[in-house]
Each structure stands twice: as C-alpha cells, then as structure tokens.
Amino acid sequence: MTTDPGLVPLPFDRAAIRRAIVRGSLAVAGWLLLVVALTPLFPMSDTVIAIGPPERLLRALPEGGVVTLAAGSVSLALAVETPAQVRSLYRAGAWLVLPATRGACIEQARAAPRPMM
C-alpha cells in the first residue's frame, strides 16, 4: 500500500464527532417537542396525523368538522378545523398528534403502487 506524500491525514477527533451527534440529536428532539406542544394550541396545518388506537380515536371525535383522510393500523390522517379537535384526540388516547401537509405524504401514500398478492 502506497501513500501519496501530498495528502495530509485528517485528524479523527472522536469527541468532536460525539458532540456533533449529541447536539444534532438534541436539536431534533427539541424541534419535535416544540411541534408536539404547539399542535393542540395552534395547529400548523388543517391536516394532522394522530398516532394511537384508530377505533378509539374515531369514536371520540365530535360529529362534523373532522374528515378522515386515511387510516392505518396505529394512525389516522384527519382534516381538522379547530385546536379543540386536536385536544379531543389527546383526550381520546392519542399518543402523538403531529401536523401534516395534505398534499405531501398523505397523497403520495395513496398514489403509491400496492403490492400484488
């Protein structure tokens, strides 16, 4: 194995890499905490993803004003009108309620090809 004399080896500082990973993780966790805390007060979009038991969440929703866009085994995509509807999802047992963009993930998931059985 030959080495090029013009190449300078880069220092490998494990402590600096560890600090960068910790800081990045804390930034992501802080952002997620902020989004989760603000969604029941000020929904950032008219569509939310509620993670929790879907049957229980659907039964707890008030009549009218909430439209179910998609349902999964542990989540619901809903169009909501007021922050009170988001809070009712938490009272019904939702683990998390996150804002979603109706034109992005939800529509792409519906348009994705389904595997043939």
Side-chain angles (χ1 to χ4, degrees):
M1 183 165 117
T2 62
T3 59
D4 186 358
L7 292 178
V8 178
L10 296 175
F12 183 69
D13 185 7
R14 290 179 188 221
I17 292 171
R18 190 174 299 125
R19 281 192 303 271
I21 290 171
V22 168
R23 288 177 183 161
S25 300
L26 288 174
V28 170
W31 171 81
L32 184 60
L33 182 64
L34 183 66
V35 167
V36 169
L38 290 180
T39 299
L41 304 173
F42 311 102
M44 296 166 219
S45 75
D46 63 344
T47 308
V48 295
I49 302 290
I51 301 170
E55 303 85 21
R56 196 161 113 191
L57 297 176
L58 285 172
R59 283 194 305 265
L61 289 173
E63 292 292 325
V66 178
V67 177
T68 304
L69 302 173
S73 59
V74 293
S75 66
L76 288 173
L78 304 164
V80 296
E81 294 178 349
T82 66
Q85 293 166 334
V86 174
R87 290 190 293 271
S88 72
L89 290 168
Y90 277 114
R91 282 192 298 274
W95 305 322
L96 275 178
V97 180
L98 301 171
T101 304
R102 189 179 304 188
C105 301
I106 296 169
E107 294 304 321
Q108 288 177 5
R110 285 186 182 170
R114 303 273 186 232
M116 299 290 288
M117 296 280 174

